[in-house]
Amino acid sequence: MTPHLGRRADLLRRTFSSLRSRIALALLSLWLLAALFGPLVAPWPSLSTDLADGLRGARGSAVLVVLVLGLAVPTGWGLGLLAGAGGRGRDGALARVLELASFWPAVVLVPLLATSLALPRPLLLGLLIAIGESCRIARLVRGELRRRRAAPYVLAARALGASRLDVLRTHVVPHSLRPLLVAAAFAGATTVALDSALAFLGLEGPDPRAWGGAIAHALTRGTLAVWPLLGVLTTTASFWVLAEALDDALDPRPRLTPE
Amino acid sequence: MRHALGRILWIVPSLALVSAIAFFVLAQAAASPASLDADVTTERRLRSLPLFFNPAPADVRILSLQAVAGLATSDGAEARHAATLARLGGAALPHVLPILETLRPDGRARVALALLPVARRMRLIREDTAPDADEAILFWQRFWEDHALDFRPAVARRAVRRAALEASTARRDEIRELDTYALAELMAALGPVRTRADADRAARLSLLLEPLSRACSRIPADASVPQAAARVMRCRRWWAATGSEYVALDGPAKVTAMVGDTRYGKWLDEAVRFGLGLTYRGTPVLTELVRHGRWTLILVAAGLLGGYFGGGVVGLLAGARPGRTLDRLLCPLALIAAAVPPAALAAWLSAPEVPLPRASAAIAVMVLPGFALASRHQRALMRHALREEPARTLLAFGAGPLALARAHLRDTSAAMLSLLGSDLPLLLTAAFVVERAAGLAGLGEFTLEAIERRDLAWLMALALLGTLTVGLAQIVSDALLSRLDWRLHTSFALRAEGSE
């Protein structure tokens, strides 16, 4: 095993060392498998409405989470690096752009853009959530880089004659991975929550597929959509637990506790 | 301080940029009629304008001369040109009648006949008479010989001022003979309607405006002040959209119209005149924001203050004593608070079986996501702080959990603050969901209606207010961050000295 792969394996081992993080991964995997293969094992019409809604919602949410993470993580990281590692002018300009882009509530934009852009609703929703999440990730990465640039070891490296690029490459940029991965896990939770919220408000579009829509529909009938509720609850909680496990795993220093 | 001031000044161009981008995006989407109360002509005129720049703004001179040229050359659209001349009315006469003599006889006849509806509206000829072409030409030549001096701004201003003070037949006839030429002065005299005297004045002027525009309907003498204000608003909106077609644009006015006579310019004008514009209900956006904003503001404030600050303190204490009772309790509680869909919880807590007022239930639900996020984040930050050198030193000196929490309050709070600004849009979405689930009449319900009706003014106002709020929140959080975090403070100091 190469040292690179060894580090990855070590990170995975530390991330899933606790029972909670293993349960979270198992729950997310279960929902993903159910969404992918559920209809093959038991066709939706043969299931109860509640369970069918749960599986349909899982499929919709899985597609959306993959889309959002696929777009937001590289974009947010790139923007954060550009802003945090750049000079004052570039940092300021990018920070202003991030500020401008970060306020566009999906609740307003989704239904409006749906009428003007000929994009499928999930793709549009994914793009809009990805924009918001990439801004958030970029802000976190930028903040981390700015903090690291003023750290004593960075100042020491500069004082010893290391070039600015070398300092960034070896001492600053690697530290951006921690906020990036943790923010990505939180972005998964935010995506599920936002998707459900918009569907609950009836902004889902003509083809209902999200858990929120099923919850709203059940509430109007005076019942509870158990499977969709469980879906939102368990996936959001799992993403949270994974975020925390990643956060711990990416900081290997021992933690002391007061007596 | 200088940095913060610079950021605040940045908000002005940022708002201008956001308003332009938001307008572009929303204008693409707002393809169907927006207003319940808007006049069809107003909407049609607004949609026909270019979005941001109008290289050739159409004024009464251009429009009337185009119509005359079309009628004179008989270009196949005579009916449309005749309708344009009839609509422009008295305002077109100073540009059309002086050149009537220069037209070829057949063209002159067509123009004179096309202007007859204007003469009927001015009650210069009877409704049931139908003069032939020669009579029509002769009529307009004589009319202009007698009345050319009346078609001057000063005369119109004087006539309108008198009509606004006294509703006599003589005053009404004076205005009627000027027809649409008096429109600009009539609209200026209309003014805002706030008192009984304003409503009475508007009622008198509405008698003169009614024949000139379908958007300006008559205001009954016994109409209440709000009723009169609503009708005046509709009339002013029509004028804001079409006014430039009834006046001649010269010099600076023409340059201004290149920007002002666009869809964006009209929105900006409406936003300044009517308190951020008019909603699809015909009411000022600002009035509706104040009326509906209370609940949304309370819910967002509950999320921010109760959630973030409460959660922050609890998270700090739990993080300082990992594995103890508070920490063990906080983990599942925060997870549940974060994971339970706010909509379902708000709907359940607002149900009649639950003995909790709907408002309290909504506030409680709003506190939960912020509490969960802040407590977990602050706990994680504190756990990180326990790995740093300062914490190790404090522990070596025998510091307890409270002393540790107090010592790290400053730097862990700094990181928390940086999240506040970017979380506002999420909190706003959560507030909309909770409002709907709990049945509270906040901005959410109004916004959903506005989205359905493609209400440009409301959505623009929301985008601008949101940008302003988030921009200010981010400036405050960044300023506090640089004060609280010594590393950022060092970075700023190094920058100031030119070391970076």
Side-chain angles (χ1 to χ4, degrees):
Chain A
M1 190 184 283
T2 63
H4 194 63
L5 286 175
R7 279 204 301 273
R8 278 188 195 169
D10 190 42
L11 174 65
L12 281 175
R13 187 182 53 75
R14 275 185 279 132
T15 306
F16 297 109
S17 61
S18 72
L19 180 64
R20 275 190 309 171
S21 55
R22 285 199 292 268
I23 292 175
L25 184 68
L27 281 172
L28 284 178
S29 309
L30 266 178
W31 275 114
L32 189 64
L33 288 174
L36 287 175
F37 304 112
L40 300 178
V41 179
W44 285 344
S46 69
L47 302 173
S48 69
T49 316
D50 198 30
L51 184 54
D53 282 346
L55 291 177
R56 199 178 290 121
R59 181 170 278 202
S61 292
V63 170
L64 204 62
V65 168
V66 169
L67 184 66
V68 169
L69 294 187
L71 288 171
V73 171
T75 315
W77 193 46
L79 284 174
L81 285 183
L82 273 178
R88 194 176 178 179
R90 194 166 67 190
D91 180 29
L94 275 170
R96 297 298 85 75
V97 171
L98 292 178
E99 274 171 21
L100 282 183
S102 63
F103 183 82
W104 288 99
V107 69
V108 172
L109 275 188
V110 170
L112 281 175
L113 290 184
T115 58
S116 57
L117 298 177
L119 288 177
R121 192 65 68 99
L123 183 60
L124 182 70
L125 183 58
L127 279 175
L128 290 174
I129 298 178
I131 290 173
E133 288 306 311
S134 56
C135 288
R136 177 190 282 262
I137 291 172
R139 268 177 75 83
L140 287 171
V141 171
R142 171 180 168 262
E144 184 68 23
L145 292 192
R146 281 177 66 192
R147 268 194 293 277
R148 294 290 170 186
R149 283 173 66 176
Y153 56 85
V154 170
L155 297 176
R158 290 292 300 275
L160 287 170
S163 74
R164 187 170 159 165
L165 196 66
D166 277 344
V167 169
L168 282 174
R169 193 166 48 81
T170 52
H171 296 296
V172 179
V173 173
H175 289 286
S176 66
L177 283 178
R178 192 171 69 85
L180 178 78
L181 290 177
V182 176
F186 275 119
T190 310
T191 305
V192 173
L194 257 179
D195 185 31
S196 310
L198 291 176
F200 179 82
L201 291 172
L203 303 174
E204 194 183 11
D207 179 26
R209 39 140 212 103
W211 282 321
I215 294 170
H217 193 60
L219 282 174
T220 55
R221 296 195 309 262
T223 57
L224 271 183
V226 177
W227 283 103
L229 263 174
L230 269 178
V232 179
L233 210 135
T234 50
T235 47
T236 314
S238 300
F239 275 121
W240 270 62
V241 170
L242 280 185
E244 190 170 281
L246 270 171
D247 195 28
D248 275 344
L250 284 161
D251 192 353
R253 290 171 297 170
R255 190 179 65 234
L256 299 177
T257 51
E259 290 303 317
Chain B
M1 184 52 123
R2 203 173 56 183
H3 179 71
L5 277 176
R7 295 277 303 276
I8 289 169
L9 286 178
W10 248 102
I11 285 187
V12 179
S14 299
L15 278 178
L17 188 64
V18 164
S19 76
I21 296 170
F23 192 84
F24 178 76
V25 170
L26 297 177
Q28 307 301 314
S32 57
S35 173
L36 289 176
D37 197 36
D39 180 66
V40 180
T41 327
T42 310
E43 294 295 340
R44 199 180 297 147
R45 157 82 173 143
L46 283 174
R47 296 231 165 81
S48 70
L49 291 173
L51 213 53
F52 291 109
F53 183 69
N54 190 350
D59 67 349
V60 66
R61 185 189 296 124
I62 291 174
L63 289 173
S64 56
L65 292 182
Q66 276 174 354
V68 167
L71 283 169
T73 56
S74 188
D75 63 357
E78 288 90 341
R80 185 165 55 84
H81 296 313
T84 303
L85 280 185
R87 179 172 63 86
L88 295 175
L93 296 182
H95 309 287
V96 176
L97 295 183
I99 60 162
L100 202 60
E101 283 290 324
T102 63
L103 302 175
R104 286 199 336 225
D106 54 339
R108 192 186 312 157
R110 279 192 289 272
V111 171
L113 287 172
L115 285 171
L116 283 179
V118 183
R120 290 195 184 96
R121 199 163 62 213
M122 293 158 90
R123 298 202 185 162
L124 298 174
I125 57 172
R126 286 171 49 182
E127 288 285 338
D128 53 354
T129 53
D132 60 23
D134 291 335
E135 286 170 335
I137 293 170
L138 193 62
F139 167 80
W140 284 119
Q141 282 170 338
R142 285 188 181 159
F143 173 82
W144 196 240
E145 281 169 17
D146 293 344
H147 295 277
L149 286 176
D150 294 341
F151 284 80
R152 287 179 303 153
V155 176
R157 198 174 307 129
R158 199 166 49 239
V160 168
R161 203 178 298 149
R162 286 199 295 249
L165 291 172
E166 187 194 348
S168 69
T169 315
R171 303 281 173 255
R172 211 175 300 163
D173 288 345
E174 266 184 325
I175 301 289
R176 192 176 291 133
E177 284 179 16
L178 291 171
D179 196 55
T180 54
Y181 188 81
L183 261 176
E185 296 299 337
L186 281 169
M187 294 310 301
L190 207 52
V193 177
R194 296 193 188 100
T195 62
R196 187 65 250 167
D198 292 339
D200 292 340
R201 185 192 64 240
R204 281 196 294 277
L205 291 171
S206 74
L207 295 176
L208 307 169
L209 282 163
E210 192 188 21
L212 306 179
S213 164
R214 269 179 295 184
C216 301
S217 54
R218 181 181 297 203
I219 300 171
D222 58 350
S224 65
V225 174
Q227 281 170 341
R231 292 202 180 189
V232 166
M233 191 77 86
R234 188 170 186 254
C235 186
R236 288 178 70 190
R237 191 163 190 242
W238 166 79
W239 180 248
T242 57
S244 58
E245 290 188 345
Y246 293 92
V247 291
L249 300 171
D250 292 303
K254 190 151 192 163
V255 176
T256 312
M258 286 179 174
V259 180
D261 208 22
T262 58
R263 291 172 74 181
Y264 180 72
K266 296 292 178 195
W267 165 77
L268 202 61
D269 180 53
E270 210 171 72
V272 173
R273 282 171 195 256
F274 306 123
L276 295 176
L278 293 173
T279 66
Y280 72 93
R281 293 177 183 175
T283 48
V285 169
L286 201 59
T287 312
E288 296 292 349
L289 275 175
V290 172
R291 189 182 297 160
H292 296 279
R294 191 168 59 103
W295 273 118
T296 310
L297 198 66
I298 290 173
L299 292 179
V300 172
L304 275 179
L305 299 175
Y308 276 84
F309 286 92
V313 172
V314 174
L316 191 71
L317 291 173
R321 302 184 77 181
R324 297 297 178 88
T325 315
L326 183 61
D327 191 36
R328 279 185 190 159
L329 273 175
L330 182 68
C331 286
L333 277 179
L335 257 185
I336 292 168
V340 173
L345 193 61
W348 177 65
L349 285 175
S350 310
E353 307 87 62
V354 179
L356 193 64
R358 270 190 313 176
S360 313
I363 289 170
V365 172
M366 276 304 289
V367 168
L368 287 180
F371 179 87
L373 194 72
S375 61
R376 297 288 278 183
H377 195 67
Q378 192 76 312
R379 177 178 169 274
L381 286 167
M382 192 62 212
R383 279 156 60 100
H384 279 291
L386 289 177
R387 291 166 170 152
E388 304 277 353
E389 294 299 328
R392 289 161 184 265
T393 312
L394 279 172
L395 285 170
F397 279 106
L402 275 178
L404 265 180
R406 198 169 56 236
H408 286 91
L409 180 65
R410 192 181 162 107
D411 48 338
T412 52
S413 304
M416 273 295 303
L417 277 169
S418 67
L419 281 180
L420 272 182
S422 55
D423 276 347
L424 270 178
L426 290 178
L427 274 177
L428 193 67
T429 304
F432 284 7
V433 169
V434 170
E435 277 170 16
R436 170 163 275 198
L440 297 172
L443 290 182
E445 209 58 37
F446 201 91
T447 304
L448 291 174
E449 264 184 64
I451 288 168
E452 207 173 303
R453 296 194 175 272
R454 311 271 177 267
D455 187 344
L456 191 81
W458 179 263
L459 297 171
M460 279 297 291
L462 210 65
L464 288 182
L465 280 179
T467 309
L468 189 67
T469 314
V470 172
L472 286 175
Q474 283 178 347
I475 289 169
V476 171
S477 72
D478 280 1
L480 285 172
L481 193 65
S482 66
R483 285 284 124 199
L484 290 170
D485 193 327
W486 64 269
R487 289 166 297 193
L488 284 181
H489 209 64
T490 312
S491 175
F492 278 121
L494 285 171
R495 275 182 182 181
E497 287 168 12
S499 305
E500 285 198 345

